[in-house]
Amino acid sequence: QVQPVESGGGMVQSGGSLTLSCVASGSTFSILPMDWYRQAPGNQYDLVAHITSAGATNYADSVKGRFTISRDNAKNTGYLQMNSLQPEDTGVYYCAIGVHWGKGTLVTVSS
């Protein structure tokens, strides 16, 4: 089975950077798409970034030019590099490998 586990969240000042990691067990990681979702307090889950098994990427308009999604299939690991962070980026970030979701990691950006 695929069991994503996120890490790398924390508190950062506005303008700073964080890199989130998503480590997944299972033999099917390399053929599944990966997504990063964000949930702000009281909000639904919003798609932040997407990457196909082949490496094609898409981003929410709000993070284009600032966030980079990537994956290392040999390590069963995905990443979300977040630069120029702003307070509105605050939320719980979830990694989804196919339909398999992790528990999330909290990112807090202070002004």
Side-chain angles (χ1 to χ4, degrees), residues 1 4 10 12 19 31 42 44 52 57 62 64-66 69-71 73 78 81 84-86 91 97 102 106 110:
Q1 62 178 10
V12 65
T19 298
I31 64 172
Q44 297 293 316
T52 71
T57 60
S62 62
K64 285 181 179 177
R66 300 188 297 118
I69 187 172
S70 62
R71 65 193 299 164
N73 288 339
Q81 174 68 47
S84 301
L85 284 162
Q86 302 299 313
I97 307 297
L106 177 64
S110 61

Side-chain angles (χ1 to χ4, degrees), residues 7-82:
S7 63
M11 179 173 285
V12 65
Q13 290 187 322
S14 181
S17 298
L18 284 173
T19 298
L20 307 183
S21 296
C22 175
V23 179
S25 62
S27 62
T28 60
F29 175 85
S30 64
I31 64 172
L32 294 173
M34 181 181 72
D35 303 279
W36 287 95
Y37 289 84
R38 179 172 66 208
Q39 185 183 39
N43 289 356
Q44 297 293 316
Y45 302 96
D46 297 317
L47 181 64
V48 173
H50 169 85
I51 186 168
T52 71
S53 60
T57 60
N58 283 294
Y59 300 91
D61 288 342
S62 62
V63 307
K64 285 181 179 177
R66 300 188 297 118
F67 289 13
T68 301
I69 187 172
S70 62
R71 65 193 299 164
D72 186 339
N73 288 339
K75 297 180 179 179
N76 274 20
T77 302
Y79 306 94
L80 185 67
Q81 174 68 47
M82 305 184 295

Side-chain angles (χ1 to χ4, degrees), residues 82-111:
M82 305 184 295
N83 299 322
S84 301
L85 284 162
Q86 302 299 313
E88 55 265 36
D89 296 317
T90 293
V92 179
Y93 285 72
Y94 298 87
C95 173
I97 307 297
V99 300
H100 307 280
W101 286 56
K103 300 299 184 183
T105 184
L106 177 64
V107 172
T108 303
V109 184
S110 61
S111 59

